[in-house]
Amino acid sequence: MSEKNDFIQLPPIKKDTPSEVVSMIWQYLKLPEESRKRVKAELINVHENCGKEDFQIPNLYDIVPKEEIAEFEDIMRKIITGIISEASGIATWVYVQKYVKHKTLDEMLEEWAGASQFILAMDTWFERLMADQ
């Protein structure tokens, strides 16, 4: 942080925002301005181009020194781990509901409306996977 800018303030955040996300935003805001610009540019690049065939994962350590983003990287790792864990849990739930309890898609959607898009995606994926067997 520069001497001129000794304060940072988080933008308004919804009350139910996971603490890891708040922590990630906090760490990002603590980065020097030039590093924030570089990280933001790379995140935009990944978001816009990651599905393309010739896309190569950026090596952020060439752009921002590792020590400057260590805490940010740790928070992001925790967030990604949480996302994978939650997705695995929902996928398991859909599998059990569909193939063990023999519930229809509509029944699953009624039971857990908050995860409707993921339930629909997993149901479709399981249908395709089982059709190949």
Side-chain angles (χ1 to χ4, degrees):
M1 299 226 146
S2 70
E3 291 178 31
K4 294 185 279 184
N5 191 5
D6 287 341
F7 301 96
I8 59 175
Q9 182 173 344
L10 291 176
I13 298 174
K14 290 185 177 184
K15 288 180 182 180
D16 61 349
T17 302
S19 60
E20 293 87 5
V21 173
V22 175
S23 185
M24 183 270 308
I25 294 168
W26 184 255
Q27 292 304 324
Y28 173 78
L29 290 173
K30 287 172 39 179
L31 292 173
E33 184 175 355
E34 187 59 35
S35 295
R36 284 196 316 266
K37 287 178 184 177
R38 290 177 181 166
V39 169
K40 182 178 179 181
E42 285 302 323
L43 289 172
I44 290 169
N45 177 40
V46 169
H47 176 71
E48 292 176 350
N49 299 304
C50 68
K52 295 179 180 173
E53 223 174 278
D54 61 343
F55 177 73
Q56 292 186 1
I57 296 172
N59 184 351
L60 293 178
Y61 299 123
D62 291 341
I63 298 167
V64 179
K66 183 175 182 169
E67 53 277 357
E68 285 185 22
I69 64 167
E71 290 181 67
F72 180 77
E73 181 183 49
D74 185 51
I75 302 289
M76 290 299 291
R77 184 178 293 113
K78 288 176 184 176
I79 290 171
I80 292 168
T81 300
I83 290 168
I84 292 169
S85 177
E86 188 172 339
S88 297
I90 296 172
T92 301
W93 183 87
V94 170
Y95 181 86
V96 168
Q97 300 306 306
K98 184 173 183 70
Y99 295 106
V100 176
K101 297 183 178 181
H102 305 288
K103 290 186 180 178
T104 66
L105 176 60
D106 288 335
E107 289 172 325
M108 289 186 282
L109 292 172
E110 282 179 29
E111 190 170 331
W112 197 356
S116 60
Q117 290 181 338
F118 196 81
I119 291 170
L120 181 59
M122 289 311 304
D123 183 73
T124 302
W125 186 78
F126 282 134
E127 289 287 332
R128 289 182 187 163
L129 181 67
M130 295 305 185
D132 291 342
Q133 304 256 338

